[in-house]
Amino acid sequence: MKLIRKDSRIYVAGHRGLLGSAVLRLLKQRGYSTLITATSRELDLRDQTAVDRFFCQHRPEFVVLAAARVGGILANHRFAADFIADNLSIQTNVILASRDAQVQRLVFMGSTCIYPKLASQPLREECLLTGPLEPTNRWYAVAKIAGVTLCQALRHQHGLDFVSLMPTNLYGPGDNFDLETSHVLPALLRKFHEAHVAGDQPVTLWGSGKPRREFLYCEDMADACLFVLRQPEASLHDAAWNTLLNVGVGHDLSIRQLADTIQQVIGSRCPLQFDASKPDGTPRKLVDASRLHSLGWSAPTSLLDGLRSTYSWYTEHAA
């Protein structure tokens, strides 16, 4: 593999999403000058012919595959077929086009929901495909597992330097705050903001509030992505099939604790209620990111600081 240069042609797929936009901002800040992007109107990543044509035209040397159809428990349940079909199409088209274009390194962005629901904590890369998935997001998880496996197969068969990063729950500026389709953190931030503005009205949380989650600031995940893009190939692949790296902060908290922290950031005192008729999801999801940490990367942003930055963005752009 050629080492990435400041003038390398880098394609960021999904550059308008939470993670893709953070990656694009960071690349610009660090002086990378030849950045390739396309909106969904300009390029439908579900269209194989269009994707192949785009790669032939732009010939990217490095690819960050952050494009995906994403959402929380409700969206996964309501749009199950769309979640699996769209994600399978998007990632397969981009990964195979990267193969054909002889891309030097592709970084595929997945999710820790690929791991079994009851896997031992913290979640290690080796626990992939060792047990049943969490039913509430299995459509998305199965698609992401297919993407990871395709990258592994391409390295196994062709020696391609395609790496998969599995971030824990991402949040940050530019997040989706739609209560129908968002993940838990932005949904709670919006709920508490609106309840606070209305005079600290009660806020209802799904489930028991006991499940534990780990949260990673999107700017830190972008930093991890650039860190991986710059690593020598030998440091990332200690075995032919080992193309998978977890990305996390190393500690978690309960949804109830998250709610308390969000209230602290907002300055609200909204009474909490819990709807036990709604699912909790996976009981705990903490990742073991020791492989990535051993290479020299760790997340610099605390949850409190990340929430403050996210809330500031929300009140300015989305509230």
Side-chain angles (χ1 to χ4, degrees):
M1 164 199 164
K2 297 178 183 177
L3 292 177
I4 194 168
R5 310 176 312 276
K6 290 299 178 70
D7 64 347
S8 293
R9 297 187 303 277
I10 308 170
Y11 171 41
V12 181
H15 73 286
R16 287 188 167 181
L18 174 65
L19 177 53
S21 62
V23 170
L24 189 64
R25 284 193 299 272
L26 182 62
L27 289 171
K28 289 179 178 179
Q29 291 167 6
R30 299 288 177 86
Y32 291 87
S33 58
T34 314
L35 304 177
I36 303 165
T37 60
T39 66
S40 57
R41 287 189 177 184
E42 295 168 334
L43 175 62
D44 184 351
L45 294 176
R46 298 168 299 180
D47 183 338
Q48 181 181 2
T49 301
V51 173
D52 290 343
R53 186 184 305 118
F54 180 84
F55 270 72
C56 286
Q57 177 183 354
H58 294 280
R59 306 301 297 181
E61 299 171 90
F62 296 85
V63 171
V64 177
L65 178 44
R69 182 168 188 144
V70 298
I73 291 176
L74 181 60
N76 267 269
H77 176 72
R78 184 172 294 174
F79 305 109
D82 295 337
F83 265 76
I84 189 168
D86 286 352
N87 282 303
L88 284 171
S89 296
I90 289 167
Q91 65 202 30
T92 301
N93 290 339
V94 173
I95 291 170
L96 293 184
S98 297
R99 175 202 61 186
D100 295 341
Q102 299 182 327
V103 164
Q104 294 297 306
R105 174 172 290 161
L106 176 142
V107 178
F108 172 59
M109 301 296 189
S111 167
T112 52
C113 71
I114 66 170
Y115 295 122
K117 176 177 181 176
L118 300 178
S120 299
Q121 303 285 327
L123 297 165
R124 295 179 57 83
E125 291 91 347
E126 291 80 5
C127 73
L128 180 64
L129 296 176
T130 59
L133 299 168
E134 161 57 41
T136 58
N137 60 15
R138 65 185 182 275
W139 322 110
Y140 180 76
V142 166
K144 287 298 180 181
I145 290 170
V148 170
T149 306
L150 179 56
C151 289
Q152 291 175 330
L154 287 168
R155 178 161 182 81
H156 175 71
Q157 183 175 345
H158 300 293
L160 299 185
D161 188 8
F162 289 7
V163 183
S164 299
L165 299 185
M166 298 301 111
T168 190
N169 300 278
L170 295 176
Y171 72 98
D175 212 337
N176 172 23
F177 293 91
D178 186 313
L179 297 180
E180 293 290 313
T181 59
S182 64
H183 290 104
V184 60
L185 188 151
L188 289 183
L189 192 149
R190 176 178 173 178
K191 282 185 177 182
F192 280 112
H193 170 79
E194 293 178 349
H196 178 55
V197 170
D200 282 342
Q201 295 297 307
V203 171
T204 300
L205 277 64
W206 277 31
S208 66
K210 295 179 180 179
R212 301 183 66 83
R213 295 290 182 269
E214 179 183 12
F215 296 95
L216 178 65
Y217 191 49
C218 65
E219 307 290 341
D220 291 351
M221 181 59 202
D223 186 67
C225 178
L226 180 55
F227 177 86
V228 167
L229 279 172
R230 297 176 61 183
Q231 291 301 299
E233 183 175 359
S235 68
L236 296 177
H237 303 288
D238 53 20
W241 287 79
N242 199 350
T243 63
L244 178 60
L245 284 166
N246 288 335
V247 188
V249 298
H251 52 83
D252 59 4
L253 74 168
S254 70
I255 299 300
R256 173 61 185 263
Q257 290 172 319
L258 173 64
D260 291 341
T261 306
I262 290 175
Q263 294 236 65
Q264 177 184 343
V265 168
I266 294 175
S268 61
R269 296 183 178 179
C270 303
L272 292 182
Q273 300 173 346
F274 296 91
D275 184 353
S277 69
K278 297 295 193 297
D280 270 338
T282 302
R284 191 184 189 196
K285 197 166 69 170
L286 175 67
V287 303
D288 181 344
S290 58
R291 282 197 67 215
L292 186 56
H293 293 167
S294 70
L295 296 175
W297 184 89
S298 60
T301 307
S302 70
L303 178 62
L304 195 58
D305 287 342
L307 282 173
R308 286 171 176 152
S309 176
T310 304
Y311 184 58
S312 176
W313 185 93
Y314 172 76
T315 54
E316 183 176 348
H317 296 90

